[in-house]
Amino acid sequence: TALTHLINDIGPLTGIIHTAGTLADTTIDHLNTDALTTTLAPKANPAWWLHELTQDQDLALFVVFSS
């Protein structure tokens, strides 16, 4: 809901750059299911929400970057 209000309040968007980072202090082959979910959810979920909320807008770019 807050993201919807923010996008509506900003006005017409020309692009989105979504950057996200979370820390799992290990290599991916050592992540268990809980750690993987904790690491990926803050990256993937907001990217999907941004996509859903702006899919009808004429964006020049939609960039997703995560570490």
Side-chain angles (χ1 to χ4, degrees), residues 31-52:
L31 289 174
N32 62 27
T33 303
D34 289 336
L36 187 60
T37 300
T38 301
T39 302
L40 293 180
K43 301 174 184 190
N45 291 342
W48 181 254
W49 298 329
L50 286 166
H51 160 72
E52 287 288 311

Side-chain angles (χ1 to χ4, degrees), residues 18-28 31 35-44 63-67:
H18 171 58
T19 60
T22 56
L23 178 63
D25 200 15
T26 188
T27 57
I28 196 164
L31 289 174
L36 187 60
T37 300
T38 301
T39 302
L40 293 180
K43 301 174 184 190
V63 177
V64 178
F65 177 81
S66 67
S67 60

Side-chain angles (χ1 to χ4, degrees), residues 46-58:
W48 181 254
W49 298 329
L50 286 166
H51 160 72
E52 287 288 311
L53 293 171
T54 61
Q55 64 185 334
D56 295 330
Q57 296 187 27
D58 186 23

